[in-house]
Amino acid sequence: MTSLPLISVDPDARGRRPSMPPHHLADLDLSGRQALVTELGEPAFRAKQVSNHYFGRLVRDPERMTDLPAATRERLAGELLPTLLTPVRELACDDGATRKALWRLHDGSLVESVLMGYPDRVTVCISSQAGCGMACPFCATGQAGLTRNLSTAEIVDQAVYLAGVAASGAVSGSPPRLSHVVFMGMGEPLANYSRVVAAIRRLVAPAPEGLGLSQRHITVSTVGLVPAIRRLASEDLSVTLALSLHAPDDELRDELVPVNQRWKVSEVLDAAWDYAATTGRRVSIEYAMIKDVNDQPWRADLLGRLLAGKLAHVNLIPLNPTPGSRWDASPKPVEREFVRRLRDAGVSTTVRDTRGREIDGACGQLAAAGDTDGDSRAATA
Ligand code: SAH
């Protein structure tokens, strides 16, 4: 008999080992839900009823599902809609137009989502992983590494939950209906490929199968996993692709986006142009402006040459501060010169607003930490 080495277990960590959550209606398409409901001994049409409550009416409380027999409501809701996200804290800024939600998952992992209201639309920024394995040195999420992939339903439920918040009128000055979803929260969406694609299918399927969002209003942001970008192009989905480029040259991008050591600037841009050609969608090129690191005029010119004539739009993101980062945002005149050079090269360019900075809810600030210091960082709305 072989004896196995003893592994000492930290008692605090016991029970908090990351694990996938229970199955939820949003993991399945409508026929999968019907099969599940039938297995539970209920008529198949109950799947549509529960789906309509969840996706159509944004209702998850069984008491309010009055078209279901009282005797089976609790059981059906328990089986199809187990609690996946427990709100730990919600922070607001911009007079309530930006809200960051911190969730605890069933295994204790923490993730965050951000709801952003504008006069003409409501956007949620959702997480695809707890943590992130891509290790970009300027991003807070990357610093702690990857905990685990989120399930399809854990991804979808962030959007459904915050769609409910928007529908309650909580985002003043914005329409009540969630219209846009960006995969720019924690994690690298294309590293959790099949669950993210399934989540997109739920978000765009019309109710009661899904949330009924427009494909064009969904943006998947990636560090540039080339095979996954190519696979996404073949999915018969026309979601917007955002590519986190951050440097036009391999020497610097190898450092800022370490996955560049595997897929170089030219390869990732080729994949992006093929994505644009297949889907007809303009690719968004994300570029965090980091003082004296990637903001030199010659880099703007090089970027302009790479992008000129392509179906691309540049989104410059003023670097958001993250704990322990040695970098600062570029000064405004430097940013303006960068924009000018790109536009002179014929490249459409905008500077992204820094929504949510005060609540660490802006790009790259999501770290799902500090859940015990809620009092000192209470909502400002
Ligand atoms: N993993 C994906 C999606 C998450 S981040 C990706 O990298 O694309 C969404 C965007 O915020 C990315 O473009 C990312 O590079 C950028 N970002 C990360 N940290 C940032 C920071 N500190 N300031 C500004 N943008 C940042």
Side-chain angles (χ1 to χ4, degrees):
M1 197 175 112
T2 327
S3 64
L4 295 169
L6 282 177
I7 301 167
S8 68
V9 178
D10 168 5
D12 285 329
R14 213 171 1 215
R16 284 200 284 119
R17 203 150 21 118
S19 67
M20 293 309 270
H23 282 294
H24 182 283
L25 163 161
D27 288 311
L28 304 166
D29 62 12
L30 195 53
S31 59
R33 292 172 215 166
Q34 284 162 340
L36 177 62
V37 165
T38 312
E39 265 173 46
L40 294 171
E42 292 286 332
F45 65 85
R46 298 263 179 256
K48 235 182 196 169
Q49 288 177 303
V50 181
S51 299
N52 196 42
H53 287 296
Y54 178 74
F55 281 117
R57 299 178 59 224
L58 309 174
V59 160
R60 56 184 76 211
D61 173 8
E63 291 301 306
R64 294 179 59 198
M65 302 182 183
T66 49
D67 56 342
L68 300 179
T72 53
R73 262 178 229 163
E74 288 285 347
R75 172 161 171 262
L76 266 182
E79 295 281 356
L80 297 178
L81 301 171
T83 298
L84 300 178
L85 310 176
T86 304
V88 175
R89 190 176 61 201
E90 197 187 313
L91 298 173
C93 64
D94 304 325
D95 284 333
T98 306
R99 291 166 178 274
K100 180 171 86 162
L102 172 68
W103 317 104
R104 188 185 308 283
L105 309 181
H106 82 109
D107 61 346
S109 302
L110 296 170
V111 295
E112 293 176 316
S113 329
V114 186
L115 177 64
M116 291 164 286
Y118 301 86
D120 60 336
R121 69 197 149 97
V122 175
T123 300
V124 292
C125 173
I126 59 177
S127 298
S128 55
Q129 298 181 311
C132 184
M134 297 297 132
C136 303
F138 56 93
C139 176
T141 309
Q143 305 317 304
L146 176 67
T147 304
R148 71 165 166 88
N149 284 324
L150 300 194
S151 72
T152 297
E154 283 173 324
I155 297 169
V156 172
D157 203 34
Q158 297 169 59
V160 173
Y161 204 112
L162 292 176
V165 172
S168 74
V171 192
S172 46
S174 296
R177 196 172 142 67
L178 173 70
S179 52
H180 292 67
V181 172
V182 296
F183 284 81
M184 294 190 183
M186 298 171 73
E188 166 50 42
L190 297 187
N192 186 14
Y193 186 87
S194 55
R195 296 182 191 91
V196 164
V197 167
I200 294 170
R201 295 198 188 284
R202 299 296 109 77
L203 294 174
V204 303
E209 173 141 15
L211 207 47
L213 301 181
S214 155
Q215 293 193 16
R216 292 175 307 130
H217 290 177
I218 296 195
T219 300
V220 175
S221 181
T222 177
V223 289
L225 306 183
V226 166
I229 293 174
R230 295 195 176 284
R231 201 172 153 199
L232 189 65
S234 71
E235 292 285 351
D236 198 23
L237 286 170
S238 48
V239 296
T240 301
L241 181 74
L243 172 63
S244 295
L245 195 65
H246 304 310
D249 54 302
D250 287 320
E251 195 184 346
L252 180 56
R253 195 167 191 268
D254 279 350
E255 187 190 348
L256 294 182
V257 185
V259 80
N260 195 70
Q261 293 162 25
R262 177 78 193 276
W263 292 289
K264 297 296 174 192
V265 170
S266 61
E267 287 173 86
V268 78
L269 286 178
D270 277 350
W273 309 146
D274 288 346
Y275 186 89
T278 310
T279 60
R281 306 287 306 145
R282 191 167 77 159
V283 174
S284 178
I285 302 291
E286 314 291 288
Y287 200 102
M289 291 292 286
I290 314 178
K291 184 179 178 213
D292 297 334
V293 173
N294 64 353
D295 60 358
Q296 303 81 357
W298 73 264
R299 282 204 161 92
D301 294 342
L302 176 55
L303 185 62
R305 285 196 297 278
L306 291 176
L307 305 188
K310 304 294 188 187
L311 204 53
H313 172 88
V314 174
N315 234 314
L316 296 181
I317 318 172
L319 185 79
N320 290 307
T322 59
S325 170
R326 52 202 155 111
W327 289 315
D328 294 315
S330 305
K332 282 292 157 191
V334 173
E335 184 185 284
R336 277 195 291 273
E337 177 63 10
F338 206 90
V339 172
R340 191 186 67 73
R341 283 174 184 258
L342 283 172
R343 288 188 180 151
D344 281 356
V347 178
S348 114
T349 305
T350 48
V351 178
R352 182 180 291 169
D353 66 4
T354 50
R355 273 298 181 97
R357 253 195 196 180
E358 307 92 297
I359 52 174
D360 284 351
C363 298
Q365 294 185 309
L366 302 184
D371 56 319
T372 49
D373 68 349
D375 290 340
S376 61
R377 294 165 52 183
T380 55

